Amino acid sequence: MQAESIKAIKPLGFQWETNNPFLFCVHHKDSYPRGNEDLGPDASLAGRSIGHDFVPKDGWRMYHGDKIPGFPVHPHRGFETITIVLEGMVDHADSMGAAGRYGGGDVQWMTAGAGIQHTEMFPLLNMDKENPLELFQIWLNLPSKDKFVDPYYTMFWNEDIPLINHTDKDGLKTGIKLIAGQLDGNKALAPPPDSWASKKDTDVAIMLIRMDPLASWSLPVCSGDISRSLYFYRGNELMINESKVPAYQAVHLAEGTNTEIKNGNEEAYLLLLQGKAIQETIIQYGPFVMNSRDEIQEAFDDYRRTEFGGWPWPRPDQVHNRKPGRFARYADGREEIRR
């Protein structure tokens, strides 16, 4: 029988069920082949639904790309995207003129606000070996008063993100990568200024957790109006309080309860999403998340009229050349280079 501290345990699909204030979470894992001269796959694309390829044929997908996998130019309004890249690279370009390449543990946090267009392409940089890619994309809602803030994006470079190491009584380790929130007196890097995560008492937390085989770790208790979900995306099995949880399951935790996690006999990897709900009506239509149907129609009308600033790049699937390492170039001219 499921412990009272757990609301539900559900198998994970491609898109993961989330709780308010989160809107969406997806886990991309693709074993791309060697790249060609154009940063696309050095392999036949025959048999794929080009432009809408979400079937993992041969272990990888083109998504909405026709030559390079990924997501060519598309708009957003009214929420934030948080992209955590565990392996591989992502090329970013947007309608503000900003650009970047990030991966290998980096996180991009983008506030769409009043409206932005951007690309998320997956350049296959290696021509002599395979190009594995693994990432999460998370959508975090904005309250109505912040849905029309100016668009903004920031980078959390892997080497700057706090990593907290816990050792249990048996000497076994749990590592927690703190992307948002606080843990054991440690604070994550500052989220964008208009984010729900930047507000007082919203308790937004995003953590990547790795546990040694047989390791134990306790998730600190939080207040009763904070929702928590654990996504067990790799491993064998866990015991969460009195419930046995097989791999690739979502565990939605009851509010304000203790959470004791005991790992099985393989390394375990989990994603934690936590936060206070935004108590407002949510109306979502594709890339727009607003509070009424009239605001959704307004978003479409504004996009048709202004294209949210237009598209300053030469191609809809904008990628950068093969040479640069990780970098971010912001709309105000600032530039960060990471090799």
Side-chain angles (χ1 to χ4, degrees), residues 88-130:
M89 290 289 166
V90 175
D91 275 5
H92 167 87
D94 66 40
S95 52
M96 299 185 296
R101 172 171 288 163
Y102 60 101
D106 299 330
V107 177
Q108 185 205 67
W109 195 318
M110 187 182 79
T111 304
I116 192 171
Q117 293 191 78
H118 76 149
T119 57
E120 302 160 290
M121 305 305 299
F122 310 146
L124 306 185
L125 300 175
N126 299 320
M127 299 179 68
D128 57 349
K129 60 182 179 180
E130 293 186 341

Short mmCIF file of all heavy atoms in Angstrom, two decimals, residues 88-130:
data_model
loop_
_atom_site.label_atom_id
_atom_site.label_comp_id
_atom_site.label_asym_id
_atom_site.label_seq_id
_atom_site.Cartn_x
_atom_site.Cartn_y
_atom_site.Cartn_z
N GLY A 88 25.82 16.69 -24.81
CA GLY A 88 25.61 17.28 -26.12
C GLY A 88 25.54 18.79 -26.03
O GLY A 88 25.80 19.39 -24.98
N MET A 89 25.20 19.42 -27.17
CA MET A 89 25.16 20.88 -27.25
C MET A 89 23.84 21.36 -27.84
O MET A 89 23.21 20.68 -28.66
CB MET A 89 26.31 21.39 -28.13
CG MET A 89 27.68 21.25 -27.50
SD MET A 89 27.92 22.40 -26.13
CE MET A 89 29.40 21.69 -25.37
N VAL A 90 23.45 22.57 -27.41
CA VAL A 90 22.27 23.25 -27.94
C VAL A 90 22.71 24.61 -28.45
O VAL A 90 23.46 25.33 -27.77
CB VAL A 90 21.19 23.41 -26.86
CG1 VAL A 90 20.02 24.25 -27.39
CG2 VAL A 90 20.69 22.05 -26.38
N ASP A 91 22.25 24.98 -29.64
CA ASP A 91 22.49 26.32 -30.18
C ASP A 91 21.23 27.16 -30.02
O ASP A 91 20.14 26.75 -30.43
CB ASP A 91 22.87 26.25 -31.67
CG ASP A 91 24.35 26.00 -31.87
OD1 ASP A 91 25.07 25.79 -30.88
OD2 ASP A 91 24.78 25.98 -33.05
N HIS A 92 21.40 28.33 -29.42
CA HIS A 92 20.30 29.26 -29.17
C HIS A 92 20.46 30.49 -30.06
O HIS A 92 21.56 31.01 -30.23
CB HIS A 92 20.32 29.69 -27.70
CG HIS A 92 19.44 30.88 -27.39
ND1 HIS A 92 18.11 30.75 -27.08
CD2 HIS A 92 19.71 32.21 -27.35
CE1 HIS A 92 17.60 31.95 -26.86
NE2 HIS A 92 18.54 32.86 -27.02
N ALA A 93 19.35 30.98 -30.60
CA ALA A 93 19.28 32.30 -31.24
C ALA A 93 17.88 32.83 -30.98
O ALA A 93 16.93 32.05 -30.88
CB ALA A 93 19.58 32.22 -32.73
N ASP A 94 17.73 34.16 -30.86
CA ASP A 94 16.40 34.67 -30.57
C ASP A 94 16.14 36.01 -31.26
O ASP A 94 17.02 36.60 -31.90
CB ASP A 94 16.16 34.76 -29.06
CG ASP A 94 17.04 35.77 -28.32
OD1 ASP A 94 17.27 36.87 -28.85
OD2 ASP A 94 17.49 35.46 -27.20
N SER A 95 14.89 36.47 -31.14
CA SER A 95 14.46 37.68 -31.83
C SER A 95 15.00 38.95 -31.22
O SER A 95 14.86 40.03 -31.79
CB SER A 95 12.93 37.73 -31.86
OG SER A 95 12.37 37.57 -30.58
N MET A 96 15.65 38.87 -30.06
CA MET A 96 16.33 40.03 -29.47
C MET A 96 17.74 40.17 -30.01
O MET A 96 18.45 41.12 -29.66
CB MET A 96 16.38 39.90 -27.95
CG MET A 96 15.03 39.84 -27.27
SD MET A 96 15.16 39.84 -25.45
CE MET A 96 16.03 38.31 -25.15
N GLY A 97 18.18 39.21 -30.84
CA GLY A 97 19.54 39.23 -31.37
C GLY A 97 20.53 38.48 -30.51
O GLY A 97 21.73 38.47 -30.81
N ALA A 98 20.07 37.84 -29.44
CA ALA A 98 20.96 37.08 -28.57
C ALA A 98 21.22 35.70 -29.17
O ALA A 98 20.43 35.19 -29.98
CB ALA A 98 20.35 36.95 -27.17
N ALA A 99 22.33 35.10 -28.73
CA ALA A 99 22.73 33.80 -29.27
C ALA A 99 23.59 33.08 -28.24
O ALA A 99 24.10 33.69 -27.30
CB ALA A 99 23.51 33.98 -30.58
N GLY A 100 23.75 31.78 -28.44
CA GLY A 100 24.62 31.03 -27.55
C GLY A 100 24.75 29.59 -27.96
O GLY A 100 24.01 29.08 -28.80
N ARG A 101 25.73 28.93 -27.36
CA ARG A 101 25.90 27.48 -27.46
C ARG A 101 26.22 26.99 -26.05
O ARG A 101 27.12 27.51 -25.39
CB ARG A 101 27.02 27.11 -28.43
CG ARG A 101 27.36 25.62 -28.42
CD ARG A 101 28.32 25.26 -29.54
NE ARG A 101 27.64 25.31 -30.83
CZ ARG A 101 28.28 25.36 -32.01
NH1 ARG A 101 29.60 25.38 -32.05
NH2 ARG A 101 27.59 25.39 -33.14
N TYR A 102 25.48 26.00 -25.61
CA TYR A 102 25.66 25.52 -24.25
C TYR A 102 25.39 24.02 -24.18
O TYR A 102 24.71 23.45 -25.04
CB TYR A 102 24.75 26.28 -23.27
CG TYR A 102 23.26 26.17 -23.54
CD1 TYR A 102 22.47 25.31 -22.78
CD2 TYR A 102 22.64 26.94 -24.52
CE1 TYR A 102 21.11 25.21 -23.01
CE2 TYR A 102 21.28 26.85 -24.75
CZ TYR A 102 20.51 25.98 -23.99
OH TYR A 102 19.17 25.89 -24.22
N GLY A 103 25.95 23.38 -23.15
CA GLY A 103 25.77 21.94 -22.98
C GLY A 103 26.69 21.40 -21.91
O GLY A 103 27.39 22.14 -21.21
N GLY A 104 26.68 20.07 -21.76
CA GLY A 104 27.57 19.43 -20.80
C GLY A 104 27.32 19.85 -19.36
O GLY A 104 28.26 20.02 -18.59
N GLY A 105 26.04 20.01 -18.98
CA GLY A 105 25.70 20.42 -17.62
C GLY A 105 25.24 21.85 -17.49
O GLY A 105 24.80 22.26 -16.41
N ASP A 106 25.31 22.65 -18.55
CA ASP A 106 24.86 24.04 -18.51
C ASP A 106 23.33 24.11 -18.49
O ASP A 106 22.63 23.19 -18.93
CB ASP A 106 25.35 24.80 -19.75
CG ASP A 106 26.87 24.86 -19.85
OD1 ASP A 106 27.54 24.84 -18.80
OD2 ASP A 106 27.38 24.91 -20.99
N VAL A 107 22.83 25.26 -18.01
CA VAL A 107 21.39 25.51 -17.94
C VAL A 107 21.11 26.88 -18.54
O VAL A 107 21.77 27.86 -18.20
CB VAL A 107 20.90 25.49 -16.48
CG1 VAL A 107 19.41 25.83 -16.39
CG2 VAL A 107 21.18 24.13 -15.83
N GLN A 108 20.12 26.94 -19.43
CA GLN A 108 19.63 28.22 -19.92
C GLN A 108 18.26 28.48 -19.32
O GLN A 108 17.39 27.61 -19.35
CB GLN A 108 19.52 28.24 -21.44
CG GLN A 108 19.13 29.61 -21.98
CD GLN A 108 18.45 29.54 -23.33
OE1 GLN A 108 17.35 29.03 -23.46
NE2 GLN A 108 19.14 30.04 -24.34
N TRP A 109 18.07 29.69 -18.79
CA TRP A 109 16.79 30.08 -18.18
C TRP A 109 16.30 31.31 -18.94
O TRP A 109 16.93 32.35 -18.93
CB TRP A 109 16.99 30.41 -16.71
CG TRP A 109 15.74 30.47 -15.88
CD1 TRP A 109 14.55 31.03 -16.23
CD2 TRP A 109 15.57 29.95 -14.55
NE1 TRP A 109 13.66 30.90 -15.20
CE2 TRP A 109 14.25 30.24 -14.15
CE3 TRP A 109 16.42 29.29 -13.65
CZ2 TRP A 109 13.76 29.89 -12.90
CZ3 TRP A 109 15.91 28.95 -12.41
CH2 TRP A 109 14.60 29.23 -12.04
N MET A 110 15.16 31.16 -19.61
CA MET A 110 14.65 32.22 -20.47
C MET A 110 13.24 32.61 -20.04
O MET A 110 12.34 31.77 -19.97
CB MET A 110 14.63 31.77 -21.92
CG MET A 110 14.26 32.87 -22.90
SD MET A 110 14.18 32.31 -24.62
CE MET A 110 12.57 31.50 -24.62
N THR A 111 13.05 33.90 -19.76
CA THR A 111 11.73 34.46 -19.50
C THR A 111 11.16 34.96 -20.82
O THR A 111 11.67 35.94 -21.39
CB THR A 111 11.83 35.63 -18.49
OG1 THR A 111 12.46 35.17 -17.30
CG2 THR A 111 10.45 36.17 -18.16
N ALA A 112 10.11 34.30 -21.31
CA ALA A 112 9.51 34.74 -22.57
C ALA A 112 8.74 36.05 -22.38
O ALA A 112 8.75 36.91 -23.26
CB ALA A 112 8.58 33.65 -23.10
N GLY A 113 8.06 36.18 -21.23
CA GLY A 113 7.35 37.42 -20.95
C GLY A 113 6.39 37.81 -22.06
O GLY A 113 5.60 36.99 -22.55
N ALA A 114 6.48 39.07 -22.52
CA ALA A 114 5.54 39.61 -23.51
C ALA A 114 5.65 38.94 -24.86
O ALA A 114 4.71 39.00 -25.65
CB ALA A 114 5.77 41.11 -23.65
N GLY A 115 6.76 38.31 -25.13
CA GLY A 115 6.87 37.57 -26.39
C GLY A 115 8.28 37.55 -26.95
O GLY A 115 8.98 38.57 -26.94
N ILE A 116 8.69 36.37 -27.40
CA ILE A 116 10.01 36.19 -27.99
C ILE A 116 9.92 35.05 -28.99
O ILE A 116 9.08 34.15 -28.87
CB ILE A 116 11.06 35.87 -26.88
CG1 ILE A 116 12.48 35.97 -27.43
CG2 ILE A 116 10.79 34.51 -26.24
CD1 ILE A 116 13.55 35.88 -26.35
N GLN A 117 10.74 35.12 -30.01
CA GLN A 117 10.97 33.98 -30.89
C GLN A 117 12.37 33.45 -30.61
O GLN A 117 13.29 34.23 -30.34
CB GLN A 117 10.91 34.39 -32.36
CG GLN A 117 9.55 34.83 -32.85
CD GLN A 117 9.56 34.94 -34.37
OE1 GLN A 117 9.48 33.94 -35.08
NE2 GLN A 117 9.70 36.16 -34.87
N HIS A 118 12.53 32.14 -30.68
CA HIS A 118 13.87 31.59 -30.52
C HIS A 118 13.98 30.24 -31.21
O HIS A 118 12.99 29.65 -31.63
CB HIS A 118 14.28 31.48 -29.04
CG HIS A 118 13.65 30.34 -28.28
ND1 HIS A 118 14.28 29.71 -27.24
CD2 HIS A 118 12.45 29.73 -28.40
CE1 HIS A 118 13.50 28.76 -26.75
NE2 HIS A 118 12.38 28.76 -27.42
N THR A 119 15.22 29.81 -31.36
CA THR A 119 15.52 28.47 -31.89
C THR A 119 16.26 27.68 -30.82
O THR A 119 17.00 28.24 -30.00
CB THR A 119 16.41 28.52 -33.14
OG1 THR A 119 17.62 29.23 -32.81
CG2 THR A 119 15.73 29.22 -34.29
N GLU A 120 16.05 26.36 -30.86
CA GLU A 120 16.79 25.42 -30.02
C GLU A 120 17.22 24.27 -30.93
O GLU A 120 16.48 23.31 -31.14
CB GLU A 120 15.90 24.90 -28.90
CG GLU A 120 15.35 25.99 -27.99
CD GLU A 120 14.13 25.54 -27.22
OE1 GLU A 120 13.06 25.35 -27.85
OE2 GLU A 120 14.26 25.36 -26.00
N MET A 121 18.41 24.39 -31.47
CA MET A 121 18.92 23.40 -32.42
C MET A 121 20.03 22.57 -31.77
O MET A 121 20.72 23.04 -30.86
CB MET A 121 19.44 24.09 -33.68
CG MET A 121 18.44 24.99 -34.38
SD MET A 121 16.86 24.19 -34.83
CE MET A 121 17.43 22.90 -35.94
N PHE A 122 20.17 21.34 -32.25
CA PHE A 122 21.12 20.40 -31.68
C PHE A 122 22.22 20.10 -32.70
O PHE A 122 22.14 19.12 -33.45
CB PHE A 122 20.41 19.11 -31.28
CG PHE A 122 19.17 19.32 -30.44
CD1 PHE A 122 18.08 18.47 -30.56
CD2 PHE A 122 19.08 20.37 -29.53
CE1 PHE A 122 16.94 18.65 -29.80
CE2 PHE A 122 17.94 20.57 -28.76
CZ PHE A 122 16.86 19.71 -28.90
N PRO A 123 23.26 20.93 -32.79
CA PRO A 123 24.31 20.73 -33.80
C PRO A 123 25.13 19.48 -33.50
O PRO A 123 25.56 19.26 -32.36
CB PRO A 123 25.16 22.00 -33.65
CG PRO A 123 24.99 22.40 -32.21
CD PRO A 123 23.57 22.05 -31.87
N LEU A 124 25.34 18.68 -34.50
CA LEU A 124 26.13 17.45 -34.34
C LEU A 124 27.58 17.79 -34.70
O LEU A 124 28.00 17.70 -35.85
CB LEU A 124 25.55 16.35 -35.22
CG LEU A 124 24.06 16.08 -35.01
CD1 LEU A 124 23.59 14.87 -35.83
CD2 LEU A 124 23.71 15.89 -33.53
N LEU A 125 28.32 18.20 -33.70
CA LEU A 125 29.66 18.76 -33.90
C LEU A 125 30.71 17.71 -34.22
O LEU A 125 31.71 18.01 -34.87
CB LEU A 125 30.07 19.55 -32.66
CG LEU A 125 29.17 20.74 -32.28
CD1 LEU A 125 29.64 21.34 -30.97
CD2 LEU A 125 29.15 21.77 -33.38
N ASN A 126 30.51 16.49 -33.74
CA ASN A 126 31.52 15.43 -33.94
C ASN A 126 31.32 14.74 -35.28
O ASN A 126 30.26 14.16 -35.52
CB ASN A 126 31.43 14.40 -32.82
CG ASN A 126 31.68 14.98 -31.45
OD1 ASN A 126 32.56 15.82 -31.28
ND2 ASN A 126 30.91 14.56 -30.46
N MET A 127 32.33 14.79 -36.12
CA MET A 127 32.26 14.11 -37.41
C MET A 127 32.94 12.75 -37.37
O MET A 127 32.80 11.96 -38.31
CB MET A 127 32.91 14.99 -38.49
CG MET A 127 32.23 16.33 -38.67
SD MET A 127 33.01 17.37 -39.94
CE MET A 127 32.61 16.43 -41.44
N ASP A 128 33.67 12.46 -36.31
CA ASP A 128 34.42 11.21 -36.22
C ASP A 128 33.87 10.26 -35.15
O ASP A 128 34.42 9.20 -34.93
CB ASP A 128 35.89 11.49 -35.92
CG ASP A 128 36.10 12.30 -34.65
OD1 ASP A 128 35.10 12.82 -34.10
OD2 ASP A 128 37.25 12.41 -34.19
N LYS A 129 32.78 10.65 -34.50
CA LYS A 129 32.16 9.79 -33.50
C LYS A 129 30.72 10.21 -33.31
O LYS A 129 30.28 11.24 -33.85
CB LYS A 129 32.92 9.86 -32.17
CG LYS A 129 32.98 11.25 -31.55
CD LYS A 129 33.79 11.24 -30.26
CE LYS A 129 33.87 12.63 -29.64
NZ LYS A 129 34.65 12.64 -28.37
N GLU A 130 29.99 9.45 -32.52
CA GLU A 130 28.58 9.75 -32.30
C GLU A 130 28.40 11.03 -31.48
O GLU A 130 29.33 11.52 -30.85
CB GLU A 130 27.90 8.56 -31.61
CG GLU A 130 27.82 7.33 -32.48
CD GLU A 130 27.02 6.21 -31.85
OE1 GLU A 130 26.81 6.25 -30.61
OE2 GLU A 130 26.59 5.30 -32.59
#
